[in-house]
Amino acid sequence: MMSQRHQPSACPSCEEPLESGDLFCGACGYDLSAVPPLPEDRPTVVMGSPVGGAAWPADPAGPGREQPFGDRPSGPPATGAPGTAGPASTAGAAAVRFDARAAEAGAGDFELPAPDPAARPAPAPGTAGEPWGPGTPVPPPAARPAPHAHVPEPQAGTGTPAAPAAPVEPPPAPVQPPAPVEPPPGAGGVPDPRAVEHTATPPAGTRLCVACRAGHVDRDGYCENCGHAQPRERDHMEEELGAVAAVSDRGLRHHRNEDAFAVSSTALPDGSPAVVAIVCDGVSSATRPDEASAAAAAAANESLLAALPRGTHPQTAMYDAIVAASEAVNALAGDGDDGDAMEHDPHHHRNAPACTLVGAVVAGGLLVVGWVGDSRAYWVPDDRSGPPARLTEDDSWAAQMVAAGLMNEAEAYADERAHAITGWLGADAYELEPHTAAFKPDRPGVVVVCTDGLWNYAEGATDMARVVPPDAARRPLHSAQVLVGHALDGGGHDNVTVAVLPFAVVPAGAGSA
């Protein structure tokens, strides 16, 4: 007959519960046939019987010796005379031994009789085993003196002790005053030593880490102690003037914000306002793209603020501003720590700092835009029944394919090379070709100036008009925030920068171009 295989209730490997008939564990695949059977539960020594076949011990002889406690294998209990050790008290077998060889040698060590109080014969009344007979009251145990009690000494000439004196109580322990409660660190004007240690004044030109409050932040924005990346001022920026607003955000995928913007306003020679918005996008594959975008935005804005009050035509002023921005970015190619080495390197322009630029100026009833790269400007009228429009053309591979008639727009922008730019600001640019255009809208609206971090999620003019709030002309900052939020909700794969510039129709005869 085939023996049954041992079936455990749980897997020995992962403790997964098993079902009857399982050959393998359903969780970890353990082979249940390899589980050894449980050993049979059999005692190694039979309880209550002598070890090794040895006889039970005999009662020790001699007066005054009590009999050992133990069970006898057979025979009635001893019946010797009370108080004496008769022959019945000495009859018995040899003592139990745990060492069989010692028993054979006759040695007397390791004798351990098995105790059993039930087999002990009761001694007769009045014998040595019980000094008082039946009916004799059992004397109470002697009382112990109370602690600190005075034990009287016997009086002289008498054998009786003196009357006990009243117990002397120990003096009460002095009451300890409560321990003073320490105030929590920093309470009551007491500085917390841990806070004092962590908020020590850093050396000039450095700042403390916002995470560990102990390490200094290096020039790259990381803590030298814990390595935590510090929040950068450019991670999220907002600015609003009376007639223009801009918002820039790092996005959800990039570790820093490489975009930059500048918004400003000035007056033309006739006193009419001129409003400026510049947006730049650093080329991520270049070195120091964040510095390139910041330098370009600042240089273009300063150039426009200097040219427009002098009466320079806005379109000419925009062209000159792009040239000034290009020169500012070119200057960064030799400003780094390795500037001297790059100056003597014939290939030092390779991978130089670079960025794109798009700008808009509203002045004297004109709307002027200028750009280099793939940052864009859109026109969105207040009356959405009118058509929106894209005001710029990308310097990109996709735009070139469409312009050459080799692909339609959908095919070109679906290609993985679509966003490869063919024009930018930087020392390694092939040649600088600033683009400018002037428009004179016949209705009010807003100009949306943005990087590809936004228009990737609203590429067409109609798509952009759909996400621009209806009150954008009255609330440009709110509109810019909404557009940045639209890009972040879409995935935020890139830095996002948006400027919203309202355009109001100038009545006939007012202002000058």
Side-chain angles (χ1 to χ4, degrees), residues 399-504:
Q400 285 187 347
M401 294 297 103
V402 174
L406 300 177
M407 292 183 179
N408 60 39
E409 189 169 353
E411 294 174 343
Y413 282 97
D415 194 282
E416 61 182 5
R417 298 165 291 180
H419 292 281
I421 58 176
T422 57
W424 62 89
L425 305 180
D428 58 351
Y430 299 111
E431 57 180 329
L432 178 63
E433 296 182 4
H435 310 289
T436 61
F439 305 90
K440 194 167 185 177
D442 59 354
R443 65 194 68 189
V446 294
V447 183
V448 177
V449 184
C450 63
T451 62
D452 60 347
L454 170 62
W455 66 254
N456 278 332
Y457 302 98
E459 188 170 339
T462 304
D463 299 330
M464 184 63 69
R466 189 179 299 113
V467 298
V468 173
D471 59 349
R474 293 184 290 105
R475 304 172 65 191
L477 178 59
H478 172 261
S479 300
Q481 294 169 339
V482 169
L483 293 174
V484 169
H486 174 75
L488 298 179
D489 291 342
H493 289 74
D494 200 356
N495 305 147
V496 189
T497 302
V498 183
V500 177
L501 179 61
F503 178 88

Side-chain angles (χ1 to χ4, degrees), residues 34 121 139-140 143 177 185 220 318 371 388 436 445 463 480:
D220 294 329
M318 177 63 72
W371 73 95
T436 61
D463 299 330

Side-chain angles (χ1 to χ4, degrees), residues 149-472:
H150 175 69
V151 180
E153 296 291 337
Q155 294 182 357
T158 67
T160 60
V168 180
E169 296 293 335
V175 179
Q176 298 293 336
V181 179
E182 295 292 337
V190 179
D192 186 357
R194 295 168 294 180
V196 172
E197 177 184 357
H198 288 172
T199 57
T201 303
T206 62
R207 55 194 176 100
L208 285 178
C209 173
V210 299
C212 68
R213 304 298 301 166
H216 296 153
V217 180
D218 60 18
R219 59 179 299 178
D220 294 329
Y222 293 88
C223 176
E224 297 176 348
N225 179 49
C226 67
H228 190 87
Q230 306 300 297
R232 297 176 174 88
E233 181 182 1
R234 292 177 60 175
D235 283 355
H236 185 87
M237 300 179 292
E238 296 184 0
E239 187 174 353
E240 180 181 25
L241 298 178
V244 64
V247 176
S248 181
D249 192 89
R250 177 172 59 93
L252 305 179
R253 301 297 182 89
H254 285 242
H255 71 283
R256 65 180 175 183
N257 190 0
E258 297 170 356
D259 290 356
F261 68 83
V263 293
S264 60
S265 62
T266 186
L268 300 178
D270 62 355
S272 60
V275 183
V276 176
I278 303 292
V279 169
C280 297
D281 183 0
V283 178
S284 297
S285 59
T287 58
R288 298 152 61 199
D290 53 332
E291 298 181 27
S293 61
N301 184 62
E302 293 174 2
S303 177
L304 287 167
L305 292 180
L308 292 173
R310 294 197 303 261
T312 305
H313 192 279
Q315 190 169 356
T316 303
M318 177 63 72
Y319 185 96
D320 295 340
I322 295 175
V323 174
S326 177
E327 293 174 352
V329 176
N330 293 347
L332 295 177
D335 285 350
D337 295 337
D338 55 349
D340 294 338
M342 292 183 63
E343 185 175 351
H344 300 287
D345 184 0
H347 305 290
H348 72 278
H349 285 171
R350 293 181 180 177
N351 206 33
C355 69
T356 66
L357 181 146
V358 62
V361 174
V362 172
L366 288 180
L367 168 58
V368 175
V369 295
W371 73 95
V372 172
D374 63 348
S375 295
R376 296 180 177 181
Y378 291 84
W379 164 256
V380 179
D382 289 347
D383 183 4
R384 300 303 167 84
S385 62
R390 197 178 88 191
L391 307 178
T392 59
E393 293 291 339
D394 296 344
D395 289 324
S396 66
W397 181 90
Q400 285 187 347
M401 294 297 103
V402 174
L406 300 177
M407 292 183 179
N408 60 39
E409 189 169 353
E411 294 174 343
Y413 282 97
D415 194 282
E416 61 182 5
R417 298 165 291 180
H419 292 281
I421 58 176
T422 57
W424 62 89
L425 305 180
D428 58 351
Y430 299 111
E431 57 180 329
L432 178 63
E433 296 182 4
H435 310 289
T436 61
F439 305 90
K440 194 167 185 177
D442 59 354
R443 65 194 68 189
V446 294
V447 183
V448 177
V449 184
C450 63
T451 62
D452 60 347
L454 170 62
W455 66 254
N456 278 332
Y457 302 98
E459 188 170 339
T462 304
D463 299 330
M464 184 63 69
R466 189 179 299 113
V467 298
V468 173
D471 59 349

Side-chain angles (χ1 to χ4, degrees), residues 129-148:
E130 185 177 357
W132 52 85
T136 304
V138 179
R144 295 184 179 180
H148 309 289

